[in-house]
Amino acid sequence: MLHPSRTSSRKVGDEYVINGGKMWITNCGHANWFFVFTRSDPDPKCPAAKAFTAFVVDADAPGVTVGRKEWNMGQRASDTRGVTFDDVVVSKDNIVGEAGGGFKVAMKCFR
């Protein structure tokens, strides 16, 4: 079972608007872009296989906020932070795979 995603995306014309956040991102303060899974179908009855979309989001896009460096217990050299997406507009060209195919992209990581 996947953890419920609080990061969502909605289609507006040929673009998507992303809202939400992610925590405990390693090297977040050095990233030029983020690989983000979003809940793109808000219907709770939608199967996970069709409910998520994966995006590449530029770190300097308007609405992307990188949080403060977290103090990790044992990994002090790791630049771990949170990132917030507040009405971040991305092109449909930034989709990895296809819209609604994010679960499939995620599962390919386990091959």
Side-chain angles (χ1 to χ4, degrees):
M1 182 168 155
L2 288 177
H3 184 275
S5 177
R6 289 184 175 85
T7 302
S8 64
S9 61
R10 61 185 162 79
K11 189 170 190 214
V12 179
D14 284 342
E15 299 175 319
Y16 286 80
V17 179
I18 299 175
N19 283 288
K22 301 292 183 182
M23 192 60 203
W24 305 111
I25 309 300
T26 303
N27 292 323
C28 184
H30 302 285
N32 294 318
W33 54 271
F34 298 104
F35 180 68
V36 182
F37 287 102
T38 68
R39 176 92 189 191
S40 51
D41 189 328
D43 181 1
K45 294 182 181 180
C46 181
K50 298 179 181 178
F52 296 91
T53 301
F55 293 92
V56 172
V57 179
D58 289 326
D60 60 353
V64 175
T65 304
V66 174
R68 68 173 175 78
K69 184 180 185 314
E70 297 294 330
W71 291 102
N72 300 333
M73 289 182 71
Q75 297 287 333
R76 300 251 185 224
S78 173
D79 185 5
T80 304
R81 302 170 188 242
V83 61
T84 304
F85 305 97
D86 187 23
D87 289 332
V88 177
V89 178
V90 295
S91 167
K92 67 179 180 177
D93 296 332
N94 288 47
I95 293 175
V96 177
E98 59 187 38
F103 183 81
K104 192 175 187 179
V105 172
M107 292 301 104
K108 285 182 179 181
C109 294
F110 295 114
R111 281 203 228 171

